[in-house]
């Protein structure tokens, strides 16, 4: 998959299709509905990557964890980690 720049990223987020996805997720009433949606929409590998990215977002800025430690714990690249920081 080719890399996208910040303008393209914001265009994707603002697109009607992406906004529809966000509205669908926001409409779920239970965690079972959310689980079903994510299980149908993403592979196990994609879900594991999503989980690792979320962990990185939470860990960035914690004084007791360096970027190197976060990369080691999550398996994410420094490029992805930098993007999560933005």
């Amino acid at each position: 998959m080719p890399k996208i720049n910040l303008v393209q990223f914001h265009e994707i987020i603002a697109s009607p299709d992406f906004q529809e996805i966000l509205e669908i997720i926001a409409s779920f009433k239970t965690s079972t509905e959310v689980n079903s949606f994510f299980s149908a929409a993403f592979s196990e590998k994609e879900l594991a990557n999503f989980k690792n990215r979320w962990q990185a977002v939470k860990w960035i800025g914690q004084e007791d964890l360096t970027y190197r430690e976060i990369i080691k714990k999550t398996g994410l690249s420094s490029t992805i980690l930098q993007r999560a920081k933005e």
Side-chain angles (χ1 to χ4, degrees):
M1 176 177 262
K3 292 184 179 185
I4 63 171
N5 63 39
L6 195 55
V7 171
Q8 292 168 319
F9 174 79
H10 288 295
E11 287 173 355
I12 292 168
I13 298 296
S15 72
D17 287 332
F18 198 85
Q19 291 302 307
E20 181 181 19
I21 293 168
L22 295 178
E23 288 174 18
I24 289 168
I25 293 170
S27 74
F28 295 141
K29 306 271 188 271
T30 67
S31 60
T32 301
E33 292 174 318
V34 176
N35 287 337
S36 294
F37 173 81
F38 277 91
S39 295
F42 301 101
S43 69
E44 285 183 37
K45 185 176 180 180
E46 290 167 329
L47 287 172
N49 186 275
F50 184 75
K51 176 191 71 78
N52 288 339
R53 287 175 181 233
W54 180 243
Q55 284 177 326
V57 167
K58 292 190 304 183
W59 289 335
I60 288 173
Q62 289 187 3
E63 293 180 21
D64 57 335
L65 282 176
T66 65
Y67 269 38
R68 186 169 282 149
E69 290 170 319
I70 294 171
I71 289 168
K72 187 175 180 180
K73 287 176 179 257
T74 62
L76 297 174
S77 71
S78 59
T79 302
I80 290 173
L81 205 58
Q82 182 61 36
R83 208 175 317 143
K85 183 181 176 186
E86 296 172 355

